[in-house]
Amino acid sequence: MRIMVIGGGGREHAIIKKLKENPEVHKIYALPGNGGIARDATCVPIKATDIAAIVDFAVKTGVDYAVVAPDDPLVLGAVDALEAVGVPCFGPRASAAIIEGSKVFAKNLMKKYGIPTAAYETFDDMDAALSYLESAPLPTVIKADGLALGKGVTIAHTKEEAREAVISAMRDRKFGASGEKIVIEEFLTGPEVSVLAFTDGDTLIPMVSSMDHKCAYDGDTGPNTGGMGTIAPNPYYTPQIARLCMERIFMPTIQAMKLEGRPFKGCLYFGLMLTGDGPKVIEYNCRFGDPETQVVLPLLESDLLTVMQAVTNGTLGDIEVRFSDKCAACVVMASKGYPLSYEKGFEISIPEEAEGHVYVAGAAKEDGRLVTSGGRVLGVSAVADTLREAVDNAYKITETISFENAFYRRDIGARALRAGEN
Ligand code: AMP
Ligand code: GLY
């Protein structure tokens, strides 16, 4: 079987390594992949957003199945375009990917169907937004409607910060068309949990819960990033909370999407906050999380391709999806300066024993050498019986890997370990 995976980060590397465990998978193409993914797949230099070229490649190569991993091609309709030429896909169509592509859509969906989320107002007029801010409680949360490379959310602690966020999105078009509309919402507090779920539109099977570490520096300080590390399972996500989420959030969401004529098939990501008032949705993503995937898929015991095909075929209810009861941790090694400015082109040295633990996010092949090419460079993952061991092992392996200007957080999992002790 020939499979095509769209995307080129650590998440895609984790998906590819897992797909390779199925003996029927003879060939995997990664579009575009990266220098590290090239060890596990044939990389094809086609951008993940170049839908026409992706479709053309799929047809010419006779690809049997496609996995569309990143948000932008999903929102742009990569799945619709591939299905139109007869390529079965894992991932939602554009009509369902809008759950991530438009925060206004997502918030209105939750309101209409009574799914718990932060109270909010939406605006397409800057003056109306600014005048609303005059009486909005602080801190207040301002979100660009569309995709904004993870940078579209501002938590404003002062009225001035809030005004600046609105003006930079709506007048200065900091996020282009993505900021033409905005959501202003209530600031919530509580532990955050990421839950990825397989769904075929009718059946939904949550994966192991996880915890991201979004701040760049130790102690949850510094700028927001794409994610500096993850652990799974998330100790705050108790079986009781999981049941509550299934009843009040997960099933109502997929039923709502179906009722709206937008059945969601693929991986639906629930970004949750466990507030004093119960779990609430902070965000939906229409895809696997990065770096959540790098701890969740290593714990999947069932065959990933079988599960994905069941999602595509609408037969998820007929299969069993098993996860190990072990724990996993992933430490992201980044380039010094990330998420702001950083240098690229440093040679990466990975000992052979560490290879199996490394998911490559931002690296290129140059003259046979693996060199850094992005902000987040590697995700180093380990699985063990306890979270403590998984974290310790991930750090031990991380210390054997080197590249100039490497930096990583030293406290991935620390908060989860503290929570687990209570
Ligand atoms: P995002 O860029 O959508 O992943 O959001 C970034 C982070 O902003 C989330 O992980 C939360 O920590 C935080 N956040 C988003 N919405 C809220 C909210 N309503 N209240 C408090 N924190 C929030
Ligand atoms: N780790 C957060 C995300 O994938 O959006």
Side-chain angles (χ1 to χ4, degrees):
M1 199 167 168
R2 293 154 172 256
I3 301 184
M4 169 169 91
V5 175
I6 311 302
R11 163 185 55 203
E12 288 75 11
H13 200 182
I15 292 171
I16 286 167
K17 281 195 179 190
K18 200 75 195 175
L19 286 172
K20 274 180 73 174
E21 290 175 11
N22 182 319
E24 281 173 36
V25 175
H26 297 128
K27 184 89 191 164
I28 301 185
Y29 298 97
L31 280 60
N34 68 42
I37 290 177
R39 284 180 70 103
D40 294 294
T42 301
C43 294
V44 183
I46 292 176
K47 273 182 24 193
T49 46
D50 190 346
I51 312 285
I54 290 169
V55 169
D56 194 44
F57 175 83
V59 171
K60 282 197 184 126
T61 316
V63 162
D64 300 301
Y65 192 65
V67 178
V68 184
D71 48 13
D72 32 11
L74 289 167
V75 170
L76 287 169
V79 168
D80 309 58
L82 285 163
E83 284 179 350
V85 293
V87 179
C89 293
F90 182 83
R93 294 181 184 159
S95 59
I98 191 172
I99 199 165
E100 174 170 5
S102 167
K103 291 200 183 344
V104 171
F105 172 86
K107 295 295 292 191
N108 290 343
L109 183 86
M110 288 186 270
K111 185 186 268 180
K112 180 169 173 188
Y113 291 92
I115 297 164
T117 187
Y120 72 101
E121 295 288 336
T122 66
F123 297 93
D124 56 12
D125 176 72
M126 186 173 76
D127 292 331
L130 292 175
S131 96
Y132 172 81
L133 283 180
E134 289 306 314
S135 55
L138 291 169
T140 195
V141 184
I142 292 138
K143 301 185 168 182
D145 175 48
L147 298 181
L149 300 169
K151 298 191 174 74
V153 175
T154 303
I155 300 188
H157 294 272
T158 64
K159 221 173 245 188
E160 204 35 51
E161 269 180 86
R163 287 178 59 85
E164 268 169 36
V166 168
I167 292 169
S168 73
M170 299 188 88
R171 187 192 69 195
D172 305 341
R173 296 177 66 86
K174 184 174 175 191
F175 311 110
S178 287
E180 279 170 4
K181 290 189 225 161
I182 60 165
V183 173
I184 300 183
E185 72 178 27
E186 172 198 13
F187 177 76
L188 300 176
T189 53
E192 284 187 56
V193 181
S194 307
V195 179
L196 319 184
F198 291 111
T199 175
D200 62 6
D202 287 305
T203 300
L204 177 139
I205 302 181
M207 300 183 221
V208 173
S209 63
S210 54
M211 183 192 289
D212 195 0
H213 297 66
K214 282 190 190 261
C215 294
Y217 313 133
D218 286 6
D220 294 320
T221 57
N224 202 31
T225 70
M228 293 300 293
T230 36
I231 58 95
N234 186 322
Y236 289 103
Y237 193 71
T238 60
Q240 190 198 350
I241 293 177
R243 268 196 305 278
L244 209 61
C245 289
M246 191 71 175
E247 250 170 56
R248 299 199 186 154
I249 297 177
F250 304 162
M251 293 312 291
T253 300
I254 60 159
Q255 282 155 2
M257 290 297 279
K258 194 173 171 187
L259 286 168
E260 293 293 309
R262 301 169 180 274
F264 190 103
K265 282 184 173 207
C267 173
L268 185 51
Y269 170 128
F270 299 88
L272 306 170
M273 197 170 267
L274 309 181
T275 74
D277 201 20
K280 295 193 177 177
V281 177
I282 287 280
E283 61 166 347
Y284 290 118
N285 290 328
C286 64
R287 52 172 174 86
F288 283 98
D290 189 343
E292 284 88 346
T293 306
Q294 291 89 312
V295 286
V296 169
L297 287 188
L299 296 174
L300 176 66
E301 287 181 341
S302 304
D303 173 58
L304 178 60
L305 179 62
T306 307
V307 179
M308 285 182 156
Q309 287 179 313
V311 166
T312 307
N313 298 334
T315 54
L316 191 58
D318 302 341
I319 66 163
E320 195 201 358
V321 181
R322 273 191 333 276
F323 281 88
S324 142
D325 55 13
K326 293 190 175 193
C327 298
C330 172
V331 176
V332 170
M333 297 183 78
S335 303
K336 191 173 146 213
Y338 172 76
L340 306 170
S341 65
Y342 51 84
E343 290 177 60
K344 301 177 187 176
F346 299 114
E347 183 165 2
I348 305 169
S349 143
I350 306 175
E352 216 175 297
E353 320 78 81
E355 286 286 352
H357 294 273
V358 174
Y359 299 119
V360 179
K365 263 273 162 59
E366 262 177 29
D367 308 325
R369 301 173 318 149
L370 194 63
V371 301
T372 64
S373 70
R376 289 191 293 177
V377 178
L378 307 174
V380 183
S381 294
V383 171
D385 288 336
T386 65
L387 182 58
R388 166 71 65 193
E389 283 173 272
V391 169
D392 288 349
N393 290 345
Y395 274 110
K396 272 188 207 137
I397 302 160
T398 301
E399 280 153 24
T400 67
I401 298 170
S402 61
F403 56 89
E404 212 174 299
N405 281 356
F407 104 90
Y408 50 92
R409 277 181 62 163
R410 308 282 161 161
D411 65 344
I412 300 304
R415 180 202 280 249
L417 285 166
R418 282 195 304 273
E421 281 160 11
N422 295 331

